[in-house]
Amino acid sequence: NDTASPKASSPTPITGALEDVPVDEISCGARHTAAVASARTSLWTWGAGAGGRLGHGSTLSCSQPHAVKEMLDRKILVVAC
């Protein structure tokens, strides 16, 4: 994982692994973001990882989206940060 980038002052495109993946839903917390892919079978998170809030099994922060492995191939109904 990489370090979280500073706050953006305006919307910025999603880059990295999620760049070409259609997204149905995005939820933003104060310092982290979660996205549900359009097939609703993958959850992606990035931002500050304190307290394990990203679901990646660590407290590391990520500046780019990473899939939450525990949620792969599960039906995701809604996401909230």
Side-chain angles (χ1 to χ4, degrees), residues 1-66:
N1 288 347
D2 43 351
T3 59
S5 58
K7 290 182 184 178
S9 59
S10 61
T12 56
I14 297 172
T15 59
L18 195 57
E19 189 169 352
D20 294 322
V21 176
V23 171
D24 274 354
E25 186 175 346
I26 291 185
S27 180
C28 300
R31 298 185 63 217
H32 62 286
T33 303
V36 178
S38 64
R40 301 202 80 78
T41 57
S42 63
L43 175 66
W44 300 73
T45 59
W46 63 102
R53 72 185 73 187
L54 298 179
H56 300 159
S58 76
T59 58
L60 296 176
S61 297
C62 303
S63 63
Q64 298 293 316
H66 291 273

